[in-house]
Amino acid sequence: MSGMRTEVAIVGAGPAGLLLSHLLAQDGVDSVVVERQSRQHVEARIRAGILEHSTVQLLDAAGLGERLHRDGFEHRGIYLQWPGERHHIDFLDRVGRSVWVYGQTQVTKDLGRAREADGQRILYEVSQTAVHDLESDTPSVTCVDRDGADVRIDAAVVVGCDGSFGPCRAAVPEAVRRTWERVYPYSWLGILADVAPSTDDLIYAWHPDGFALHSMRSAIVSRLYLQVPNGTDVETWPDDRIWAALATRLGHGQDGWQLTPGPITEKSVLPMRSYVQTPMRYGNLFLAGDAAHIVPPTGAKGLNLAVADVGLLAPALVALLRKKDTALAEAYSDTALRRVWRCTHFSWWMTTMLHTNGDPFDEQLQLSQLRWVAGSDAGAQGLAENYAGLPIGF
Ligand code: FAD
Ligand code: PHB
């Protein structure tokens, strides 16, 4: 067994774990990160694409914004549409905040490079990760490294940044934890395509056949999604079928708008659920990001919530470890959960407003709500404020 000692042992090198190690290092707090996958795998995972205002501010302040500002795209709003109508909701005009299109793959690459340059200790490709003695002042993480050697990391604090399937959330005793869950009766079929986006801002489309979303990654790469039934096999969706469904649902031909198809380079089906586990702290274990909560992607909140958690947790741990000041660490779970529940509601609201479920009554309510959101200042303002993101700590 090889032993390591650090101040903060972090499980998971996704955006939450990497960013936390970066922010802690900036304040001189040492950490060790353990990660189940390889660095290449983590950096290639196609996931979120939208950074809200406060995420960009935090990355900038942490010295991580250079490539984001060079290669990312600032967007002033989104389109909401349903058959025959498309409406632009302008976030900049309404709430003075924009969002940025910059893939999670790029965020993790920027973080990976910054951590490497800093000499961060990250153990990739570990197995059998387990957390121990969380109620004590000497918690630890054990795992088996990529060469098969047993490793033990002793720390003052353990942080679970290990996503929705990691071991940390389950380490909170059942008598202490409480969970909330909503599983949606539909999934997304997502594609990446080597074709210039057919739109300037993202299009969120309600359609009787199901929801569709036109997003993008760059001037030459588009990201698009279709609502499909749960359990859908991607093999049943050849490229032609995907483009035909996207054209119908996104309104090809409506007011002269055209959807340009192109070669599809990635295809996957993702189920959708909302999940929250409380509290986000148990003894000397803290949870951040997907380890504590999952949102359906319709509100583009998953990655942003992970960043917001870490934005609260890093100063709390610095105060705890440097000044023995426990106030922020004690407040962390309650403070983070206020934003978590706001984003959980917003993501649920966007999801249930835009996805069809076969119920004709619900369809009429959805269309009525969409007309209200797009047509009333109060409705549009609410969407803009939530989508562009509330300030960290709201
Ligand atoms: P993760 O990115 O999941 O990172 C957790 C890390 O922990 C992983 O690297 C994992 O390998 C590691 N880990 C797990 N178990 C262990 C273990 N036992 N030991 C060591 N390490 C471990 N959000 C959006 O906003 N928009 C989207 O379009 C979108 N699409 C998504 C598509 C998919 C398929 C998924 C799964 C998520 C998507 N999300 C999306 C959500 C968003 O990607 C997440 O909210 C974000 O990745 C959260 O970051 P995180 O660091 O908390 O968790
Ligand atoms: C994406 O570009 O992957 C994306 C954008 C907006 C969403 C979800 C996903 O709401």
Side-chain angles (χ1 to χ4, degrees):
M1 166 94 61
S2 68
M4 295 168 98
R5 182 165 290 282
T6 184
E7 294 182 280
V8 182
I10 300 173
V11 183
L18 289 173
L19 181 60
L20 180 63
S21 73
H22 185 86
L23 296 178
L24 290 175
Q26 289 191 319
D27 277 309
V29 172
D30 186 63
S31 65
V32 173
V33 186
V34 298
E35 166 59 50
R36 191 167 50 106
Q37 304 286 358
S38 68
R39 180 169 168 190
Q40 291 81 341
H41 180 98
V42 169
E43 293 184 359
R45 271 189 309 224
I46 312 288
R47 288 186 171 179
I50 300 289
L51 305 185
E52 63 185 40
H53 183 76
S54 57
T55 299
V56 173
Q57 277 184 320
L58 195 146
L59 294 175
D60 281 344
L64 294 161
E66 190 200 323
R67 224 161 56 85
L68 155 62
H69 286 278
R70 196 185 66 216
D71 299 342
F73 294 85
E74 188 173 17
H75 283 236
R76 49 183 311 137
I78 58 165
Y79 295 100
L80 263 192
Q81 89 165 42
W82 54 95
E85 293 195 42
R86 179 177 295 172
H87 298 267
H88 191 252
I89 313 275
D90 194 298
F91 306 154
L92 261 182
D93 281 353
R94 292 192 172 277
V95 295
R97 299 196 292 275
S98 61
V99 296
W100 283 71
V101 168
Y102 193 63
Q104 181 166 331
T105 46
Q106 306 307 323
V107 174
T108 43
K109 276 188 191 117
D110 293 345
L111 281 162
R113 276 181 210 159
R115 299 319 306 128
E116 188 176 14
D118 224 11
Q120 173 71 43
R121 288 185 286 175
I122 308 183
L123 279 60
Y124 282 102
E125 296 174 75
V126 304
S127 55
Q128 297 177 42
T129 314
V131 293
H132 313 275
D133 304 321
L134 303 170
E135 305 84 354
S136 78
D137 290 336
T138 51
S140 62
V141 174
T142 54
C143 60
V144 175
D145 73 12
R146 60 156 76 107
D147 302 319
D150 289 324
V151 177
R152 177 191 167 102
I153 303 159
D154 289 299
V157 165
V158 173
V159 184
C161 296
D162 48 344
S164 43
F165 303 109
C168 289
R169 72 155 65 136
V172 180
E174 265 179 51
V176 176
R177 68 177 190 243
R178 182 156 182 209
T179 59
W180 287 263
E181 186 169 30
R182 171 72 41 97
V183 177
Y184 299 89
Y186 29 72
S187 300
W188 278 12
L189 171 66
I191 62 158
L192 265 186
D194 280 340
V195 61
S198 300
T199 179
D200 51 353
D201 278 341
L202 274 65
I203 305 170
Y204 286 78
W206 183 97
H207 191 276
D209 293 354
F211 170 72
L213 170 61
H214 191 330
S215 181
M216 59 205 73
R217 285 293 178 272
S218 72
I220 52 166
V221 176
S222 295
R223 177 86 168 138
L224 299 109
Y225 297 95
L226 285 169
Q227 175 187 343
V228 292
N230 283 344
T232 292
D233 177 358
V234 278
E235 297 303 322
T236 61
W237 282 87
D239 296 7
D240 288 354
R241 184 180 177 201
I242 292 176
W243 285 114
L246 286 167
T248 303
R249 298 188 197 182
L250 289 168
H252 179 82
Q254 185 176 310
D255 297 324
W257 181 78
Q258 307 239 313
L259 176 69
T260 310
I264 295 177
T265 56
E266 202 259 354
K267 229 186 253 186
S268 54
V269 172
L270 38 136
M272 312 232 290
R273 67 182 177 131
S274 300
Y275 177 93
V276 180
Q277 176 170 315
T278 65
M280 288 171 64
R281 175 192 187 176
Y282 170 69
N284 278 313
L285 170 72
F286 294 78
L287 299 176
D290 278 20
H293 41 73
I294 307 290
V295 288
T298 326
K301 288 290 167 221
L303 171 60
N304 293 297
L305 261 188
V307 169
D309 285 352
V310 168
L312 286 174
L313 184 55
L317 294 182
V318 171
L320 184 70
L321 297 167
R322 283 287 163 276
K323 299 183 204 135
K324 302 280 173 245
D325 179 349
T326 58
L328 289 177
E330 272 161 17
Y332 168 69
S333 180
D334 287 348
T335 312
L337 283 166
R338 282 168 59 93
R339 188 187 191 85
V340 168
W341 279 113
R342 177 87 302 282
C343 292
T344 299
H345 173 265
F346 178 66
S347 304
W348 165 87
W349 179 73
M350 287 285 279
T351 300
T352 51
M353 176 168 70
L354 286 160
H355 291 72
T356 50
N357 64 10
D359 182 326
F361 180 73
D362 284 352
E363 279 191 8
Q364 293 309 315
L365 295 184
Q366 289 174 324
L367 287 166
S368 170
Q369 179 159 265
L370 282 163
R371 278 185 218 107
W372 175 69
V373 170
S376 114
D377 276 338
Q381 197 82 6
L383 190 150
E385 183 172 64
N386 281 281
Y387 194 107
L390 294 151
I392 286 182
F394 170 82

